[in-house]
């Protein structure tokens, strides 16, 4: 595992947005938001978080590392389940507080056994409190023993 | 504008993950993470946040509404720039603290003038602090007068 390390501090908006230096804007908990999508289909697979070390490990290894907020621990995606993510391309957003990973996902991203964590659709055009979700994804594996969602 | 309103409170994990009720798990600031991607290309356009009202307005109108953390205000995407997002499909993730919007984006999503906020790639395989970003997106409009990124 890499030693704890850091990126240069974020500058003003113009530098953050138009500069060529990676200077992530970590939040009060030291995290940026990470969105992983399927490099082939474009399907969004999951939303998670990275601390500086997770981001550096992802950059160094080309595999997706995250930081589990629940477990307060660095986490290589798939380290227990085998459902790893090979990063095809990594992007950072305008204000450098979010990253987007295009990945090749082994089997399934979601700890419930579905390919994507976003396996339920919210019907549009409703105004009430009670919104009924519609299932969109099927289970690809038995969730017992898989990565726990942080 | 809709009156302030709320969703049913989130239940235990089994209910959150397998239930058919939308019970968003808002964070301490009352927000969920929202990822918008291009319904046609699958490109991730932006990451933002929604409070209960933004989510309800999105569901009711089929247009993307967000909550600006910087301005502490509800925000209809494109209300000043005209660069609106028509929601083709809305999904919620396993633990209901993130939503994914597949959208038809008018012109460009990013306040810097690019189609996507993720217009810079992070090269992989590097181990140092100094990571040089590579431009991937071109400007589609003059950023003056566009929506401000929250």
């Amino acid at each position: 595992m890499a030693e704890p390390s850091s990126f240069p501090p974020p500058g003003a908006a113009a530098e953050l947005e138009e500069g060529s230096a990676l200077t992530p804007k970590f939040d009060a908990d030291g995290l940026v938001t990470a969105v992983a999508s399927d490099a082939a289909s474009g399907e969004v697979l999951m939303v998670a978080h990275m601390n500086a070390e997770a981001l550096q490990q992802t950059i160094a290894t080309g595999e997706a590392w995250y930081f589990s907020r629940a477990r307060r621990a660095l986490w290589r995606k798939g380290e227990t389940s085998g459902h790893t993510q090979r990063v095809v391309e990594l992007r950072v957003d305008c204000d450098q507080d979010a990253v987007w990973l295009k990945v090749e996902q082994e089997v399934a991203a979601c700890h419930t056994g579905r390919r994507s964590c976003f396996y339920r659709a919210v019907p549009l055009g409703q105004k009430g409190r009670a919104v009924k979700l519609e299932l969109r994804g099927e289970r690809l594996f038995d969730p017992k023993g898989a990565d726990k969602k942080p």
Side-chain angles (χ1 to χ4, degrees), chain A:
Chain A
M1 186 175 299
E3 291 173 13
S5 50
S6 59
F7 294 92
E15 189 63 29
L16 264 181
E17 294 173 358
E18 302 302 330
S20 62
L22 178 62
T23 59
K25 211 169 71 182
F26 297 104
D27 69 10
D29 294 321
L31 302 175
V32 291
T33 303
V35 178
S37 70
D38 187 301
S41 71
E43 182 181 31
V44 173
L45 297 172
M46 59 184 281
V47 170
H49 296 83
M50 291 185 184
N51 64 357
E53 191 176 358
L55 182 53
Q56 288 201 307
Q57 287 286 85
T58 300
I59 293 170
T61 65
E63 283 205 289
W65 290 69
Y66 299 103
F67 183 81
S68 165
R69 293 182 297 178
R71 291 184 280 120
R72 307 295 306 164
L74 190 68
W75 164 51
R76 183 171 66 82
K77 177 69 180 166
E79 66 189 0
T80 57
S81 64
H83 302 159
T84 53
Q85 294 177 337
R86 192 179 78 78
V87 183
V88 174
E89 188 171 19
L90 180 63
R91 300 271 190 108
V92 64
D93 79 343
C94 46
D95 56 358
Q96 302 205 25
D97 65 357
V99 296
W100 168 28
L101 302 81
K102 299 184 204 176
V103 304
E104 288 176 356
Q105 172 71 55
E106 284 293 330
V107 185
C110 187
H111 76 289
T112 68
R114 283 90 171 191
R115 176 83 178 164
S116 162
C117 293
F118 294 89
Y119 51 84
R120 288 171 298 185
V122 183
L124 300 174
Q126 302 186 33
K127 292 202 174 174
R129 273 169 55 95
V131 176
K132 193 169 162 61
L133 303 173
E134 296 171 357
L135 270 178
R136 286 288 186 277
E138 60 189 32
R139 285 189 203 279
L140 302 180
F141 70 90
D142 179 341
K144 286 175 200 150
D147 279 9
K148 289 291 173 202
K149 165 91 185 183

